[in-house]
Amino acid sequence: QVQLVESGGGLVQAGGSLRLSCAASRGTFSTYTMGWFRQAPEKEREFVAAISWIAGRTYYTDSVKGQFTISRDNAKNSVYLQMNNLKPEDTAVYYCAATPSGRVSRASEYNYWGQGTQITVSS
């Protein structure tokens, strides 16, 4: 069973950058598509980005295209989310997740989830 642990969250001013990391333990995740989701207070969890294990194909929700970059290092069992030009509306708990499915934007398709890391962007 894969276990995921996120790190890198925190408080940042608008316009700043953060890099989230997600480390997988207890098994390899090289055959999984890895995704990032976020959930703001009183809102549903939403898809942010994903990266496939084949050729590292990437997927983004429209609101973060050009702003966030997802990457992975299978040798380190890790996935990353580089977030630039952060805005107050990016404030949320960010979750790392893993899925064997090709439906990368659906939270229900993900088998494994991390505990989440808080990102707070001040204006």
Side-chain angles (χ1 to χ4, degrees), residues 98-112:
T99 179
S101 168
R103 301 173 186 172
V104 301
S105 64
R106 298 186 183 185
S108 60
E109 296 289 330
Y110 285 75
N111 303 70
Y112 305 105

Side-chain angles (χ1 to χ4, degrees), residues 10-18 86 119-123:
L11 174 65
V12 64
Q13 289 187 334
S17 298
L18 283 174
L86 284 161
I119 302 294
T120 302
V121 184
S122 62
S123 57

Side-chain angles (χ1 to χ4, degrees), residues 6-30:
E6 301 99 335
S7 61
L11 174 65
V12 64
Q13 289 187 334
S17 298
L18 283 174
R19 187 190 193 215
L20 300 183
S21 299
C22 173
S25 61
R26 293 193 180 183
T28 59
F29 75 136
S30 60

Side-chain angles (χ1 to χ4, degrees), residues 30-111:
S30 60
T31 60
Y32 286 83
T33 290
M34 300 300 297
W36 287 97
F37 288 75
R38 64 186 179 187
Q39 187 166 17
E42 301 182 357
K43 291 188 176 181
E44 293 186 356
R45 190 169 299 189
E46 66 169 345
F47 170 75
V48 175
I51 185 166
S52 69
W53 74 276
I54 299 175
R57 184 174 179 179
T58 57
Y59 308 82
Y60 297 93
T61 192
D62 286 345
S63 63
V64 306
K65 286 180 180 177
Q67 182 189 1
F68 291 3
T69 302
I70 189 171
S71 61
R72 66 188 295 161
D73 185 337
N74 286 345
K76 295 182 178 180
N77 276 2
S78 294
V79 63
Y80 310 97
L81 186 68
Q82 177 66 43
M83 304 182 294
N84 297 326
N85 190 27
L86 284 161
K87 308 167 186 175
E89 53 264 41
D90 295 317
T91 295
V93 177
Y94 283 71
Y95 298 90
C96 171
T99 179
S101 168
R103 301 173 186 172
V104 301
S105 64
R106 298 186 183 185
S108 60
E109 296 289 330
Y110 285 75
N111 303 70

